[in-house]
Amino acid sequence: MRILIFSMHTSATFARSALRAGAAGYVTKTNEPAILIEAVRAVHQGKTFVSPDIAQAVARENLTGENDPMRLLTPREFEIFRKLAAGASVRDIAGVLNLSQKQSPTALR
């Protein structure tokens, strides 16, 4: 199955995580409809597609040497971070992810 992410998130970090998780493409909602159509066609043909705004953000990070600490998180850690940022409590997150609140950080990987 080929997956194309159509997201409101314009951060290169989100796109990188989606592609690492197996998505074949990533398009932000700020793009023109023609970009989405191009992405659908590319992914249908088995290609990888990243919208121009995201490609530029990734290139900027790589060229300037910006070190985004979010890049260092495992997918599980990133999921927990997103839930915390959305306002979920540690207790709620532990319940949803079937974790103990007192597990060591390595258990979250």
Side-chain angles (χ1 to χ4, degrees), residues 72 74 76-77 105-109:
L72 304 175
T74 66
R76 181 71 153 201
E77 290 168 337
T106 56
L108 303 176
R109 294 174 191 241

Side-chain angles (χ1 to χ4, degrees), residues 58 60 64 72 107:
V58 170
R60 190 177 324 107
T64 61
L72 304 175

Side-chain angles (χ1 to χ4, degrees), residues 1-7 18-19 22-28 35-44 47-51:
M1 178 183 306
R2 296 178 193 111
I3 297 173
L4 172 63
I5 305 295
F6 185 51
S7 177
L19 294 169
Y26 192 94
V27 177
T28 61
I35 297 293
L36 180 58
I37 292 168
E38 182 181 350
V40 169
R41 287 183 177 143
V43 169
H44 177 71
K47 299 175 184 175
T48 300
F49 187 94
V50 178
S51 61

Side-chain angles (χ1 to χ4, degrees), residues 83 89-102:
K83 290 182 183 312
S89 70
V90 172
R91 180 180 301 240
D92 292 339
I93 295 169
V96 168
L97 299 178
N98 296 316
L99 298 171
S100 164
Q101 293 180 53
K102 296 183 180 183

